Amino acid sequence: MRKSFTWVVLVVVCALAGVAAAQYPSGALLRLDAGAETTSTGGRLTQWSDASKNGVAFVAPDTASRPYVGAANINGHPVITFLPSGSYLEGPHLFPVSQDYTVVMVMRITNFGVTNNIVSGTTHATYFGGATSIRFLHGNFNTQAVSSAPLSASPAVVIGRFRQSTQNAGWYVNGQDGDSSLVGTNTDSTIYLGCYQRGNFMSGDIAEVLIYPRFVSDIERRQLEDTLFKKYGITGPQPPDTTFSEVPKRLGFYARDEDDSATVGVKGTLRAIGFDSVYLRAKKNGVTYSYSSVPLTSGKPFALNARIHAELSEYSFTIGAKGSDKDSVLRQVDSVVCGEAILIDGQSNSIFGLDTYTNEYCRTFGGNFSSSKADTAWSLSVGYGTGGGSNVGAFGLEIQRDYAERMHLPTALITGSVGGTAIEQHLPNANNPTDLSTIYGSMLYRVRKAGLVNKAKALFWYQGESNSITNYFDNFKKLSNSWRIDYPAVKKFYVVQVRPGCAAPGNSSELRDLLRSLSRYYLDVVTHTTMGLPDHDGCHFIKAVNGYHMLGDQLFALVERDLYHSTDTIGINSPDILSARYTDETHTSITLLFNTGGSGMNVPADSMFDTLRASIKDYFYVGTDTSLVSEVTAHGDTILLKLKHSTNARTIAYLPDTYYNNTTITYEGPWLRNNNGLGAFCFWGVPITYVLRVGEATTSGTDLSVIPNPASDHSLLSFELGERARVRLSVYDETGRELLRPVDETREAGRYTLDLDTRSLPTSSLVCRLESNGYVIERRLIVTH
């Protein structure tokens, strides 16, 4: 498929521009930086203003209370020095009341023998109380949150978070989890720096303070820590020598089991001496819900686990070791979720997008089409760009968004989509399915490493622009059979019918019709069309994100029905033609019967595309005639076509191969839709059944099916007779020449199956014709060799 170099460069530039903007999470009430927006007199601070210049400022109440500037620094960065003799600052009454909040501090304590209030007020406080563990206070000294992560005299990044719904507060000191506990709600909006109630002063330095009126996520907390560690040259405590054979990863995802939960396992070996047990503390949304420990023998393996639930919650884990006089953290992991796993494969339309949406519950693993075995990091899904890295495509990200917002479930989506690729390029290496040089192998390797190979429930296939009908069915059969082996938990494969455009003109109508028909050959395949989606540019939906969003929402409705038993099923299928029939022996009108999912059909008005006026009647092709239809009307699930004159055409098609009639402009509507607004499948070569005997209904129970279709070496022709009758079963080419007549005899009522050897038939589109008791049923047969 076509790619634009300019487009790729633009995506990279935009991505780089976002790096600097993403250093501090948005929405801070204030950010005080000792290296900016300070004024002083004689080395004493007179005013400290918000670095974002929003008018917020902190001042000392009098000359004696002014803290010092310039006397100390943290790795070259300025600090404000507070003395226990009485220096402090007062600020506006902005501290969050009766709501979530987060306090971020870059600071250093120089004397732990005093109370050391840092960011406090009249009844709320963050302080040390003579200890080396920082504390939260909300007015009640009997319910304080005391950090289990100690603070040394070295500079530190300290982050405290409070959640109003649980009234729990907890600390992170240089990235080490200090646990959390109940503190009650905060009712005090006062803010002092360096004191509590204008007393209980601090002895130390403050380089930076941020206050958020919300509970920053673990992802944002790590982002803040990384930014501040790099800025101030601060490193966290180094853990004892440990080797983990199994441990959760940051941003990790676990697929839910049948009980709607998953097990997070921890296994490893601790070689350091002086420890007698190892423990695992598990938190949900910052609150401890599980703690377990096992005895430890140095050099011997240990194993622990915790259960997590499938919901919009983030889990974090602290793995530590204890001895008689020590408690050391071995590993901390945050931002772990549990939910559903899905897969996508295809070419550019399944990976392109302009979607800037992000959600902490939408995850992916490794890099799109990565050939590196080391590319095994979890990350947040991205829907902006043309592939690579964490990109899952705009329609895939929309499906993840629907899972999060409609089913309240996190998701992991792994994609093998690569722009401009033919189906042949997606086939596995038969000798090495995880060959990383192949698209199939790269995707399968990442799914296996993510632990999702037996968990993924749905796979979406959106491809076809780079192919013609030649060998496509055989290749899809090979590909989908490999999927069924390598992804055994997938319950449904969703195949998307591609749009006119992108492919070379003259070879796409038959392929689009095959994509429409795949659900008739496989019970686990569900087909859907892109016809009628907005903002198409002739190849992709990148004029705006609406087209991919609508596609994602439409596919998710099918997933809800198929996998989760949703009862909202009216009109969610793309309308698909079931039959075409002349209405009488004059052959001057045709009735098209559609499967509309109970919604009924809708005929569009004429539409304008640029300066071109188009009418839907001109885009039904009866046989080879491009201008035979004079009127199109809808009647429930049927479309009635009135013809300009009688015809003996055997087949009918809907929509052009690529272009508007007699132009080189890619077709962009009008579109047949159901009354729910979904576009109908385009179709090609659908046989028109015609009446040979007038005034009598078709024989009850008579039918004909052709499977597989397309066929390379054989096809099963199954026909059913409702009563005893003479039967003639023939195979014709497109000119009407009879090639085979395998059945020509009288048979009793019943069902019959004939194995037709197609190896002697030409590679072509043929017609299987059943004549019984004066009626005709025709089915198309595509032969490929």
Side-chain angles (χ1 to χ4, degrees):
M1 290 186 53
R2 302 191 297 269
K3 287 188 176 181
S4 166
F5 178 76
T6 303
W7 168 253
V8 174
V9 171
L10 177 62
V11 170
V12 173
V13 170
C14 291
L16 291 176
V19 172
Q23 289 179 343
Y24 290 97
S26 62
L29 273 178
L30 61 89
R31 182 171 75 88
L32 301 175
D33 185 339
E37 302 302 319
T38 61
T39 57
S40 60
T41 300
R44 305 287 291 271
L45 184 73
T46 58
Q47 181 169 298
W48 194 1
S49 299
D50 191 298
S52 60
K53 300 181 181 181
N54 62 7
V56 174
F58 285 73
V59 298
D62 51 52
T63 302
S65 301
R66 293 175 180 174
Y68 289 81
V69 296
N73 66 74
I74 294 179
N75 293 322
H77 290 271
V79 298
I80 308 301
T81 299
F82 295 82
L83 299 180
S85 57
S87 57
Y88 70 99
L89 297 174
E90 293 184 359
H93 290 218
L94 292 175
F95 202 84
V97 172
S98 301
Q99 70 178 93
D100 295 356
Y101 69 82
T102 301
V103 178
V104 182
M105 300 168 289
V106 181
M107 38 76 72
R108 170 174 51 205
I109 299 299
T110 54
N111 179 4
F112 285 102
V114 298
T115 306
N116 285 310
N117 278 277
I118 309 167
V119 179
S120 302
T122 301
T123 60
H124 73 86
T126 57
Y127 76 108
F128 283 86
T132 56
S133 294
I134 195 165
R135 304 180 178 206
F136 263 118
L137 170 69
H138 282 174
N140 187 345
F141 283 89
N142 294 317
T143 56
Q144 300 181 68
V146 181
S147 173
S148 61
L151 185 72
S152 69
S154 300
V157 175
V158 179
I159 298 179
R161 300 185 297 182
F162 170 72
R163 191 183 293 277
Q164 175 65 24
S165 60
T166 61
Q167 297 186 14
N168 271 259
W171 292 102
Y172 282 84
V173 178
N174 285 339
Q176 182 174 335
D177 184 0
D179 209 354
S180 61
S181 58
L182 180 70
V183 294
T185 193
N186 174 53
T187 59
D188 176 22
S189 63
T190 310
I191 307 178
Y192 297 128
L193 299 181
C195 78
Y196 171 64
Q197 296 180 350
R198 296 190 176 95
N200 303 285
F201 300 106
M202 173 186 180
S203 177
D205 307 312
I206 300 178
E208 197 158 341
V209 173
L210 296 95
I211 299 177
Y212 287 85
R214 60 185 177 87
F215 189 96
V216 300
S217 69
D218 282 329
I219 296 171
E220 293 173 311
R221 177 184 59 77
R222 286 292 297 267
Q223 176 184 306
L224 272 166
E225 288 169 345
D226 291 345
T227 297
L228 296 173
F229 285 162
K230 292 176 183 177
K231 179 177 179 179
Y232 292 98
I234 297 173
T235 58
Q238 299 302 307
D241 185 16
T242 313
T243 299
F244 288 99
S245 58
E246 180 181 346
V247 68
K249 292 183 177 181
R250 179 173 180 263
L251 295 176
F253 174 93
Y254 289 80
R256 61 179 180 171
D257 295 328
E258 294 301 321
D259 64 352
D260 216 26
S261 298
T263 298
V264 176
V266 174
K267 296 179 181 178
T269 303
L270 176 65
R271 287 176 291 277
I273 61 174
F275 297 97
D276 53 35
S277 65
V278 64
Y279 63 86
L280 174 64
R281 178 185 291 114
K283 292 184 178 183
K284 181 170 76 172
N285 297 327
V287 178
T288 298
Y289 71 93
S290 172
Y291 181 92
S292 58
S293 65
V294 294
L296 179 66
T297 301
S298 180
K300 298 293 185 180
F302 60 82
L304 294 158
N305 62 68
R307 293 287 285 174
I308 62 176
H309 190 62
E311 59 186 345
L312 295 187
S313 293
E314 287 194 306
Y315 294 84
S316 59
F317 304 92
T318 299
I319 308 154
K322 285 186 176 183
S324 59
D325 60 348
K326 62 181 72 176
D327 183 342
S328 294
V329 173
L330 306 178
R331 182 73 65 89
Q332 287 183 302
V333 181
D334 58 47
S335 308
V336 175
V337 298
C338 175
E340 207 76 282
I342 55 177
L343 308 173
I344 289 179
D345 200 3
Q347 58 184 107
S348 62
N349 270 307
S350 59
I351 195 66
F352 278 20
L354 289 171
D355 198 343
T356 58
Y357 174 79
T358 58
N359 188 311
E360 61 193 294
Y361 298 108
C362 301
R363 307 289 172 88
T364 188
F365 184 79
N368 170 234
F369 193 34
S370 171
S371 59
S372 171
K373 285 187 175 181
D375 195 358
T376 56
W378 287 99
S379 60
L380 300 187
S381 298
V382 175
Y384 194 106
T386 57
S390 301
N391 202 331
V392 299
F395 98 82
L397 184 57
E398 182 67 9
I399 292 174
Q400 289 192 279
R401 179 177 184 167
D402 286 339
Y403 265 104
E405 296 183 0
R406 292 166 58 173
M407 290 189 64
H408 310 295
L409 277 177
T411 47
L413 194 167
I414 297 179
T415 176
S417 304
V418 181
T421 52
I423 190 172
E424 291 81 0
Q425 294 172 268
H426 290 261
L427 296 176
N429 177 341
N431 297 319
N432 180 17
T434 56
D435 179 354
L436 287 172
S437 68
T438 66
I439 295 172
Y440 191 97
S442 171
M443 179 175 171
L444 177 59
Y445 173 80
R446 286 179 285 127
V447 175
R448 286 182 177 178
K449 292 295 288 186
L452 303 179
V453 75
N454 293 309
K455 299 293 185 178
K457 299 288 182 63
L459 188 151
F460 302 85
W461 173 247
Y462 187 175
Q463 191 277 338
E465 299 94 335
S466 292
N467 282 92
S468 67
I469 190 67
T470 304
N471 297 327
Y472 196 94
F473 182 80
D474 289 339
N475 284 325
F476 182 82
K477 179 168 63 175
K478 294 175 185 176
L479 181 60
S480 61
N481 285 342
S482 296
W483 286 337
R484 292 179 182 92
I485 294 170
D486 290 321
Y487 307 123
V490 170
K491 296 181 179 180
K492 291 291 182 181
F493 299 92
Y494 295 89
V495 174
V496 179
Q497 185 189 51
V498 299
R499 187 83 157 246
C502 266
N507 68 359
S508 61
S509 291
E510 294 177 70
L511 176 59
R512 291 200 304 270
D513 195 73
L514 172 61
L515 292 171
R516 172 185 74 89
S517 305
L518 285 174
S519 60
R520 302 181 183 182
Y521 312 131
Y522 300 104
L523 294 177
D524 56 1
V525 169
V526 179
T527 52
H528 192 74
T529 189
T530 57
M531 305 304 144
L533 294 176
D535 301 319
H536 193 250
D537 69 355
C539 191
H540 307 105
F541 296 93
I542 56 173
K543 292 196 294 185
V545 77
N546 299 333
Y548 289 128
H549 275 180
M550 290 180 65
L551 176 61
D553 292 340
Q554 291 171 8
L555 289 169
F556 185 74
L558 301 177
V559 171
E560 281 191 300
R561 177 198 65 192
D562 298 336
L563 304 186
Y564 308 109
H565 312 295
S566 169
T567 57
D568 184 10
T569 60
I570 296 178
I572 66 172
N573 290 89
S574 300
D576 190 11
I577 188 169
L578 297 176
S579 65
R581 182 184 298 277
Y582 287 113
T583 57
D584 56 40
E585 69 274 13
T586 65
H587 294 187
T588 55
S589 60
I590 300 172
T591 296
L592 309 177
L593 176 62
F594 285 83
N595 175 7
T596 67
S599 178
M601 292 298 292
N602 184 277
V603 175
D606 293 355
S607 62
M608 295 294 297
F609 183 80
D610 291 336
T611 59
L612 179 69
R613 186 177 185 86
S615 175
I616 194 69
K617 65 181 175 59
D618 298 323
Y619 295 95
F620 288 97
Y621 305 106
V622 183
T624 59
D625 199 324
T626 61
S627 60
L628 186 58
V629 178
S630 61
E631 184 180 355
V632 182
T633 54
H635 305 272
D637 291 346
T638 65
I639 295 291
L640 178 63
L641 307 180
K642 290 187 177 180
L643 309 182
K644 296 176 182 177
H645 55 74
S646 179
T647 179
N648 287 318
R650 297 282 186 87
T651 62
I652 188 169
Y654 161 60
L655 297 188
D657 184 272
T658 304
Y659 302 134
Y660 286 101
N661 296 338
N662 305 313
T663 75
T664 56
I665 302 173
T666 299
Y667 188 85
E668 296 291 349
W671 312 94
L672 280 181
R673 303 177 190 269
N674 65 12
N675 289 325
N676 201 28
L678 269 70
F681 283 103
C682 64
F683 53 83
W684 172 88
V686 172
I688 308 173
T689 301
Y690 59 95
V691 180
L692 296 181
R693 196 172 73 196
V694 181
E696 189 173 333
T698 304
T699 305
S700 175
T702 303
D703 197 9
L704 172 67
S705 65
V706 182
I707 298 176
N709 189 7
S712 57
D713 53 9
H714 79 98
S715 187
L716 297 178
L717 306 186
S718 298
F719 60 94
E720 186 170 1
L721 302 178
E723 60 187 22
R724 188 175 188 272
R726 182 165 184 85
V727 181
R728 175 180 293 174
L729 182 61
S730 307
V731 179
Y732 293 85
D733 65 16
E734 291 179 305
T735 68
R737 180 170 61 95
E738 186 179 67
L739 303 178
L740 291 174
R741 188 185 297 179
V743 177
D744 189 1
E745 62 190 18
T746 298
R747 292 198 177 187
E748 301 296 325
R751 187 165 187 83
Y752 300 90
T753 299
L754 171 71
D755 192 348
L756 180 68
D757 187 344
T758 61
R759 289 174 294 183
S760 62
L761 296 174
T763 299
S764 180
S765 176
L766 307 178
V767 175
C768 297
R769 180 179 182 186
L770 175 70
E771 299 176 58
S772 172
N773 203 23
Y775 297 93
V776 172
I777 297 175
E778 292 185 341
R779 297 288 182 262
R780 184 161 51 90
L781 168 63
I782 296 175
V783 177
T784 62
H785 295 303

